[in-house]
Amino acid sequence: MNLGHLKVTAEIGEGTIVIRHDYQRPLKQVSTLLLSSSPEKACDLLPVLFSVCGNSHKVAGLLANDLMKEQDIDFYSQKIMLENLRESVFRLLNVWSYPAEPKSSVLITKLLGDCLSLPFEQSNQKIAAKLNSAWQGFIGSDDHFSLWLNQLHNTLKNDCCFIDESNCIDESNCINESNRNSESLIEKYSLDDCKQGLDYLNSTLPVKVNVDSGVGISIFFDHSISLQEKLLLAAVAAFCQTVDCVASLLSLCGCANNYSLGGTYSLGGSSKADTLFFQKRVSPGIQEGHVLTSRGWLQHTVSQKLGNESLTDKIAVQWDINAPTDVNFASQHRSVFKPLEDVFLKNNHSNKWVGNLLTKKNKGILQTVEKLVSWYIKAIDPCLAYSVEARYA
């Protein structure tokens, strides 16, 4: 099933820019499909519908339908963390271009996939035996981490510096004073610091990472640092989240004492951040299941009524799904792109290059705007395919 698409349009006028988004996600059809089966069968169907984070959706569905069994808690905890770690590794490689050795990337990805398909006991043993080594090979040395941040800094400098919060000294190559701030930012975050996970990150960021609406989005609503620095911090947040997930997964497998990177899988931003999932009864007949995914909190809400066969026979009559991407992009009224619009408009008055961007009809400028919007979307972390178009109003 096609689970949706995000289309973003940046319209440039004389001294103005408006970023609109059209979010298509057939959750009503998914809900109808789920309600056509028994709650048990519907929960078994969820991993098929949501293949990337199927275990997380299944657990949210089980909790919302009050079907979670206590003896299965460890099993599902491990599966969720394996799933989250697999996606986090994928994002580090494909979004943030982490410079891991190809063999190490293949090894950890294959290991996580194999463990997801194994029974709990076998998976537990395999993780304890191999994951620590595979992860250390993936992240590499302190030099690897420094190399990554420097490479990412240079990429962002080429893509973003001309629209930074400082004036360009030379419009031809867009060298500006804010680059010095970004370089000092790289020096601030060493691999040793990041081993403390998001607890460390939350204590040093200008704004805490609010994972309830997607990892990294709160960074962009802070106005004290440049766009380039915000993107770097979002990348560091993604790295720290992955570190915490590895530590907690190995702790669940009983080998935390043999693992050098400490931390717990608590991503902040919620009173329930110390747990992977929880259940909430909203009112009689309405119940929520919450699961912490790599992108933020996933929520399933199920409304039930008593059936005809017995007083205990419950039938689901409404099934709503609210994922982190839905929190960010489903509303057409909530301007998730406002921080990026503000960056353009603020610089229109102080930066000659940006002022020209909003007045000159130039294909190269349109491509640059599309590139910046794409960076922003990837940093916020949507789980849907997306397209970006910049055009003149």
Side-chain angles (χ1 to χ4, degrees), residues 171-190:
E171 291 181 17
S172 63
N173 58 18
C174 291
I175 299 172
N176 62 52
E177 290 296 324
S178 68
N179 289 339
R180 298 176 187 174
N181 296 331
S182 297
E183 286 161 3
S184 64
L185 178 76
I186 291 175
E187 295 172 358
K188 185 191 305 182
Y189 294 106
S190 67

Side-chain angles (χ1 to χ4, degrees), residues 51-56 75-87 109-120 122-124 126-127 249:
S51 57
V52 174
C53 47
N55 286 288
S56 298
F75 169 80
Y76 282 119
S77 294
Q78 181 176 313
K79 295 301 182 187
I80 290 171
M81 282 192 279
L82 281 165
E83 204 168 64
N84 291 353
L85 182 55
R86 180 180 61 178
E87 187 176 356
T109 303
K110 184 177 185 301
L111 174 62
L112 294 170
D114 290 346
C115 289
L116 276 166
S117 63
L118 290 172
F120 177 68
Q122 295 180 38
S123 180
N124 206 35
K126 193 165 188 177
I127 291 172
L249 181 58

Side-chain angles (χ1 to χ4, degrees), residues 349-367:
H349 302 290
S350 60
N351 187 319
K352 183 180 177 182
W353 176 259
V354 179
N356 289 339
L357 181 151
L358 299 178
T359 56
K360 288 183 178 179
K361 295 189 175 182
N362 182 306
K363 280 190 176 181
I365 289 176
L366 294 181
Q367 291 170 355

Side-chain angles (χ1 to χ4, degrees), residues 8-65:
V8 180
T9 304
E11 291 191 346
I12 300 171
E14 287 294 324
T16 65
I17 185 166
V18 177
I19 303 175
R20 296 185 174 91
H21 67 282
D22 180 29
Y23 178 82
Q24 301 293 333
R25 186 150 150 111
L27 291 180
K28 287 186 178 179
Q29 293 94 314
V30 172
S31 177
T32 300
L33 179 61
L34 295 173
L35 293 173
S36 67
S37 304
S38 68
E40 292 84 357
K41 290 182 179 179
C43 289
D44 288 337
L45 183 61
L46 283 167
V48 179
L49 297 174
F50 300 94
S51 57
V52 174
C53 47
N55 286 288
S56 298
H57 276 276
K58 181 171 183 177
V59 169
L62 289 172
L63 292 168
N65 285 282

Side-chain angles (χ1 to χ4, degrees), residues 37 52 66 76 94 143 290 364:
S37 304
V52 174
D66 205 16
Y76 282 119
N94 292 280
D143 289 340
H290 298 255

